[in-house]
């Protein structure tokens, strides 16, 4: 536990610092804000790929979705803890530098600055704190030795993150009208829907198949707190998916038609 937590606490800040230093050499004309934002997205994508691969390994190793164990299900929780803690600070850093560029930033690390950040990013901050305060104890202690398969499923929810980050990076590079951005938009929709929306019915279906139950009986057979946790997890995903669909509609509806190009 402590070794894994320490590894994550060192890994993500080190990756961020390395990206920041590399961008200073590769793009010296960029502002510090742009370098910080891009570095944060690159580290976020790295963690997402690590989580997805860990989840796939756990899922493929657990034939019995209730009782089978895999060490990654437990150990990667501490990587998630270290990443979420790191990411809260990087989110604040990005917020402050964006505000500073607009001339709206109060003194760094002041109460006014922190309050503005919490107000602006309240949903993402709540999401991170929920994972740290609620899901971590559940994943490590309260579930006992059951459900590594489902922990692996939750890890794979990160599959959409690299595509979301790539979309933001392309916009940062003023490539929002490129074909790559449009193709990436489709991949965001597909991976987000599969791994953050359909993931939850899939977990209920996997349990139903294991237990020989119809899927509609599963919510009444599993502990109540599991249903509550799933509901709290899927609620922000549905909200974010609606936002993604709205942005995708604007992106594709604004594409020039053949008649306009004549």
């Amino acid at each position: 536990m402590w070794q894994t937590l320490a590894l994550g606490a060192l890994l993500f800040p080190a990756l961020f610092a390395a990206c920041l230093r590399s961008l200073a050499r590769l793009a010296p004309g960029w502002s510090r804000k742009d370098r910080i934002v891009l570095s944060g997205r690159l580290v976020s994508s790295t963690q997402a790929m690590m989580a997805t691969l860990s989840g796939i390994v756990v899922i493929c190793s657990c034939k019995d979705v209730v009782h089978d164990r895999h060490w990654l299900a437990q150990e990667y929780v501490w990587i998630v803890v270290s990443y979420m803690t790191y990411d809260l600070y990087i989110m604040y850093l990005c917020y402050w530098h964006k505000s500073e560029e607009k001339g709206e930033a109060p003194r760094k690390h002041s109460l006014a600055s922190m309050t503005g950040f919490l107000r602006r990013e309240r949903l993402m901050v709540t999401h991170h704190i929920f994972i740290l305060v609620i899901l971590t104890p559940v994943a490590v202690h309260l579930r006992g030795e059951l459900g590594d398969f489902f922990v692996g499923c939750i890890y794979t929810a990160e599959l959409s993150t690299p595509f979301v980050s790539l979309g933001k990076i392309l916009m940062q590079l003023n490539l929002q009208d490129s074909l790559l951005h449009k193709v990436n938009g489709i991949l965001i929709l597909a991976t987000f829907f599969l791994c953050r929306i359909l993931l939850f019915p899939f977990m209920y279906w996997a349990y139903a198949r294991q237990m020989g139950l119809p899927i509609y009986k599963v919510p009444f057979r599993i502990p109540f707190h599991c249903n509550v946790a799933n509901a709290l997890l899927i609620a922000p995903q549905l909200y974010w998916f609606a936002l993604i669909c709205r942005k995708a509609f604007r992106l594709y509806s604004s594409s020039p038609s053949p008649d306009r190009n004549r």
Side-chain angles (χ1 to χ4, degrees):
M1 166 191 167
W2 294 112
Q3 294 93 329
T4 309
L5 191 61
L7 174 64
L10 292 171
L11 175 64
F12 297 116
L15 281 175
F16 178 79
C19 290
L20 208 55
R21 196 173 296 113
S22 299
L23 287 172
R25 289 197 302 268
L26 295 171
W30 280 23
S31 67
R32 182 164 177 80
K33 183 269 290 184
D34 286 334
R35 294 198 298 270
I36 285 173
V37 169
L38 182 52
S39 298
R41 287 168 182 163
L42 292 172
V43 175
S44 175
S45 297
T46 301
Q47 189 283 141
M49 290 186 284
M50 290 168 57
T52 301
L53 287 173
S54 299
I56 291 170
V57 169
V58 173
I59 290 168
C60 293
S61 301
C62 296
K63 306 305 178 187
D64 184 321
V65 304
V66 177
H67 298 101
D68 280 359
R69 306 299 311 276
H70 193 283
W71 64 271
L72 261 176
Q74 187 87 347
E75 284 302 307
Y76 199 80
V77 171
W78 301 111
I79 298 292
V80 172
V81 168
S82 58
Y83 172 74
M84 289 294 170
T85 306
Y86 146 88
D87 197 46
L88 280 170
Y89 180 69
I90 297 302
M91 283 167 52
Y92 168 75
L93 211 56
C94 291
Y95 161 81
W96 189 86
H97 280 279
K98 287 176 183 176
S99 300
E100 184 191 39
E101 197 172 76
K102 296 176 184 175
E104 302 170 354
R107 188 168 56 85
K108 199 173 186 180
H109 300 139
S110 65
L111 180 61
S113 181
M114 295 288 188
T115 304
F117 165 67
L118 293 173
R119 188 165 50 246
R120 175 71 180 270
E121 300 290 347
R122 57 185 175 275
L123 184 56
M124 282 299 293
V125 170
T126 302
H127 172 261
H128 281 46
I129 291 175
F130 176 76
I131 290 173
L132 290 170
V133 175
I134 306 295
L135 285 192
T136 298
V138 170
V140 175
H141 298 296
L142 299 182
R143 68 187 179 92
E145 297 186 352
L146 303 176
D148 280 14
F149 173 88
F150 301 109
V151 175
C153 288
I154 297 297
Y155 292 157
T156 63
E158 290 292 310
L159 179 61
S160 62
T161 300
F163 301 106
V164 173
S165 294
L166 177 58
K168 292 178 178 178
I169 289 169
L170 291 171
M171 292 179 69
Q172 192 175 344
L173 297 173
N174 294 317
L175 294 173
Q176 60 267 31
D177 295 323
S178 66
L179 176 62
L180 178 58
H181 189 253
K182 289 178 167 48
V183 172
N184 186 66
I186 294 171
L187 292 172
I188 290 172
L189 283 169
T191 54
F192 200 100
F193 183 68
L194 285 173
C195 294
R196 296 207 178 204
I197 307 298
L198 284 187
L199 174 70
F200 294 93
F202 168 75
M203 291 194 292
Y204 279 75
W205 171 82
Y207 183 87
R209 187 185 63 168
Q210 178 78 38
M211 297 300 174
L213 295 170
I215 192 170
Y216 67 85
K217 288 188 177 180
V218 172
F220 306 102
R221 289 289 297 271
I222 63 176
F224 177 72
H225 65 265
C226 293
N227 290 314
V228 172
N230 285 333
L232 291 173
L233 278 173
I234 198 173
Q237 312 307 327
L238 291 170
Y239 172 75
W240 287 322
F241 186 66
L243 292 182
I244 291 169
C245 289
R246 195 179 307 162
K247 288 179 182 177
F249 177 77
R250 287 201 301 265
L251 173 66
Y252 295 108
S253 63
S254 64
S255 299
S257 66
D259 292 336
R260 229 181 297 168
N261 290 332
R262 288 176 185 170

